Amino acid sequence: MINASNGSFRVAIIGAGASGIATAVYLARAGIAYTIFERADDVGGTWRDNTYPGLACDVPSHLYRYSFAPNAEWSHEYSPAAEIHAYFRRVADELGVLENVRLSSEVTRAQFVGEGMWRITTVKGDEGLFNAVVAATGVLHKPVLPEIEGRDSFAGASFHSSRWDHSVPLAGRRVGIIGTGSTATQILPAIVDEVASVSLFQRTPQWIINVPNNPFSEAKKTAFRNEPQKMADLYEHLNNLFNERFAASLVGENAAGLAEMARACRQNLEDNVRDPDLRRRLTPSYQAGCKRLIVSDKFYPAIQRPNAHLVDTAIMRIEPAGVRTKDGLLHDLDVIVYATGFDPFTFFRPATIVGRNGVSLNERWKESCQAYRSVAVPDFPNLFFIGGPNSPIGNFSFLRTAEVQIGYVTQLIKLLAEGACREVEPTQQATDAFNSDVEQAIKHTVWVTGGCTSWYFDKQGKVVSWPWSYGRFEADLKQPRMEEFKVA
Ligand code: NAP
């Protein structure tokens, strides 16, 4: 008998983004009551925050969807951001999640108070006690602005890509974009026709794979609607391609796949960048796959437009009139866009999480974030993470990753709800063993051997992705190994 049925057992979910919504759905299906606390005034997480021109998911739409909510209506193979945001809102609405979301309720503190209970405090005050907490706080939500001298002195408009200021007109203006990641390479082609000029400040070139983004015809959508099996088949095909074969090539388990990726990227450069000097400047010196691969058929044509300029001399400082590079040249600008990425190690922070005996997770994770199989931490009973440290990250569907973790965490929460135990947490020994296995395995991944730096590395120089195949991730998180947990 699940206590939730009499209304007493309740889970706090932190965050109403993609993984918070899915957690809610899984808990509801298990008959477990929950409340979601969301910092912002809308659901959708990263798809709410990012509204920059050109944003589309670089994971195919029919893979980037919940298992429980296939969607025949995707407009494109890689659908635009507004559509993805609308998808999450619709699913949350239709599956009854929205009514359990407290918006504008940023969690400031979660404190374990003993006997299996957590006290949650939000900006609005004390929210009471909960039997378990799921931190579904996302990975890329804290923008990073570069530490460049004079940044605040710029006289024009400037903003981070994830805080796009739509009140700033771009038409006919001189725009600078700093960064060459997935974000910058989507923005540039989207604005190049509108602006007077666009200068892309490149510190490191990127490998780019040429993939067109075709719209789905009405006939195709009708077929998906009438024969859902077609969508399921497509999902399986894409899952095999991205989550299995591609992921395996990154972790040293598909050398042929890695070589094929490198060949395709080089071919893309050779076929689509005419000027040999520009081609040279756009050629990375590290192995393809080391940084997150850029998926685009638009970037190379856009950077070759007469009003687009690749600036690969290092930035010296920012001045009121623009960006000065180390060769002494001043690049006059009206607008600067910082496409400089995110701090992926923020997790739940700036909230404070306090576990057993007053131990602070903020303190424990100050230098390096370590968890048990990406989902739990010793001394923090009944606290679970979706997208926690060592979750698989790369060009594959985070929604599938989240669902694997949620399925696992739901099994543990059910034990609590059914009264099998009051507290559950991983043992320190099992957590240490997991992390030491990670440390060994990571050495063989392209993130380490490929000769680049990226946001996958933490302050200690450790890579925090999943260092094995995706299949192993799914197998390891199919069912909790209870001998690796302490229960009380
Ligand atoms: P990113 O991949 O971290 O790229 C940041 C860029 O800024 C890099 O080119 C970096 O150069 C540059 N940079 C940082 N500090 C700099 C400085 N001080 N001076 C000059 N350049 C500087 O960030 P992102 O492009 O926002 O992408 C982050 C992640 O978001 C992606 O990897 C992906 O997971 C996700 N994303 C997904 C999609 C999607 O379609 N699904 C779209 C956008 C983003 P270095 O390379 O030299 O460090």
Side-chain angles (χ1 to χ4, degrees):
M1 173 73 173
I2 292 177
N3 294 341
S5 61
N6 62 26
S8 60
F9 186 96
R10 184 166 284 271
V11 177
I13 301 172
I14 310 178
S19 57
I21 293 168
T23 304
V25 171
Y26 273 63
L27 290 181
R29 288 188 174 172
I32 296 169
Y34 66 88
T35 302
I36 304 189
F37 296 100
E38 166 56 51
R39 173 185 16 222
D41 59 3
D42 190 8
V43 302
T46 195
W47 298 103
R48 175 203 58 226
D49 290 347
N50 285 273
T51 59
Y52 63 76
L55 176 55
C57 187
D58 62 7
V59 174
S61 297
H62 280 278
L63 181 60
Y64 195 81
R65 54 87 161 157
Y66 296 127
S67 66
F68 50 84
N71 178 28
E73 312 306 326
W74 293 121
S75 67
H76 285 74
E77 286 172 10
Y78 298 84
S79 294
E83 224 177 284
I84 300 170
H85 185 204
Y87 168 80
F88 288 122
R89 294 196 93 257
R90 177 174 65 72
V91 171
D93 188 20
E94 287 176 2
L95 298 183
V97 176
L98 280 188
E99 62 210 52
N100 296 308
V101 180
R102 307 252 181 99
L103 296 172
S104 307
S105 298
E106 178 174 356
V107 171
T108 52
R109 188 177 181 88
Q111 171 134 24
F112 182 68
V113 293
E115 306 198 347
M117 303 303 288
W118 284 82
R119 182 171 294 287
I120 296 289
T121 310
T122 68
V123 285
K124 291 181 172 165
D126 183 7
E127 303 283 356
L129 295 175
F130 292 81
N131 302 74
V133 179
V134 179
T137 44
V139 182
L140 301 171
H141 55 85
K142 187 183 171 201
V144 172
L145 289 169
E147 285 178 16
I148 299 175
E149 185 196 326
R151 203 185 69 217
D152 293 337
S153 71
F154 182 58
S158 64
F159 42 83
H160 188 270
S161 57
S162 68
R163 302 288 181 271
W164 196 272
D165 185 345
H166 292 276
S167 71
V168 175
L170 297 184
R173 304 182 85 188
R174 299 160 304 175
V175 179
I177 303 174
I178 300 183
T180 51
S182 309
T183 301
T185 47
Q186 289 185 334
I187 295 172
L188 188 134
I191 66 169
V192 70
D193 284 338
E194 180 190 1
V195 297
S197 67
V198 53
S199 303
L200 184 74
F201 293 89
Q202 168 185 283
R203 187 164 68 180
T204 315
Q206 290 269 9
W207 287 114
I208 301 179
I209 195 145
N210 186 356
V211 181
N213 185 10
N214 298 313
F216 285 114
S217 65
E218 282 312 311
K220 192 91 182 162
K221 286 192 227 170
T222 306
F224 285 145
R225 239 173 263 139
N226 295 341
E227 295 172 75
Q229 188 55 42
K230 279 195 173 8
M231 274 191 288
D233 293 346
L234 180 55
Y235 180 92
E236 279 318 314
H237 166 72
L238 294 168
N239 182 50
N240 181 264
L241 213 60
F242 283 77
N243 290 31
E244 302 298 335
R245 283 166 49 194
F246 179 79
S249 69
L250 302 179
V251 297
E253 295 183 16
N254 179 5
L258 193 63
E260 174 53 26
M261 186 199 309
R263 195 204 56 74
C265 290
R266 197 166 282 279
Q267 194 68 47
N268 185 23
L269 255 174
E270 281 170 17
D271 291 349
N272 296 309
V273 181
R274 290 179 303 273
D275 173 32
D277 186 52
L278 180 63
R279 199 186 308 140
R280 178 188 58 74
R281 293 160 64 211
L282 286 170
T283 305
S285 57
Y286 55 86
Q287 204 172 347
C290 186
K291 284 177 186 279
R292 183 185 166 109
L293 199 65
I294 309 290
V295 179
S296 177
D297 63 343
K298 297 189 176 67
F299 177 72
Y300 287 152
I303 194 71
Q304 293 172 90
R305 299 292 296 273
N307 63 335
H309 311 292
L310 179 74
V311 182
D312 58 350
T313 306
I315 296 172
M316 181 157 68
R317 62 173 174 265
I318 293 175
E319 300 181 3
V323 171
R324 193 175 292 278
T325 42
K326 289 214 166 131
D327 51 9
L329 217 64
L330 175 66
H331 303 262
D332 283 304
L333 299 170
D334 302 309
V335 180
I336 298 178
V337 176
Y338 295 106
T340 40
F342 301 85
D343 173 2
F345 304 105
T346 306
F347 294 106
F348 57 87
R349 291 173 275 203
T352 298
I353 294 192
V354 181
R356 200 187 284 294
N357 303 323
V359 53
S360 152
L361 190 52
N362 307 55
E363 199 48 46
R364 190 177 287 183
W365 279 6
K366 207 159 134 194
E367 294 303 321
S368 200
C369 306
Q370 293 201 338
Y372 168 80
R373 295 185 198 282
S374 76
V375 290
V377 184
D379 296 323
F380 295 83
N382 307 2
L383 170 69
F384 307 104
F385 289 87
I386 310 303
N390 294 109
S391 297
I393 42 176
N395 298 70
F396 20 90
S397 177
F398 177 67
L399 300 194
R400 185 161 177 129
T401 297
E403 281 197 59
V404 169
Q405 293 169 329
I406 295 164
Y408 179 93
V409 162
T410 301
Q411 293 176 59
L412 292 168
I413 294 178
K414 267 178 92 169
L415 291 178
L416 301 168
E418 286 165 352
C421 56
R422 207 167 47 181
E423 294 174 6
V424 61
E425 68 188 279
T427 65
Q428 190 63 52
Q429 194 189 10
T431 306
D432 290 345
F434 171 75
N435 282 287
S436 125
D437 288 351
V438 166
E439 214 168 306
Q440 288 310 312
I442 212 93
K443 293 177 188 157
H444 308 290
T445 67
V446 68
W447 307 306
V448 172
T449 62
C452 76
T453 59
S454 69
W455 60 263
Y456 298 169
F457 289 84
D458 72 8
K459 275 198 269 185
Q460 305 287 313
K462 282 200 250 169
V463 176
V464 294
S465 188
W466 181 263
W468 300 287
S469 70
Y470 204 85
R472 173 159 171 184
F473 172 68
E474 294 187 309
D476 278 9
L477 274 84
K478 198 169 170 46
Q479 210 178 352
R481 296 174 202 176
M482 290 315 296
E483 68 278 14
E484 298 189 345
F485 285 88
K486 267 197 318 204
V487 290

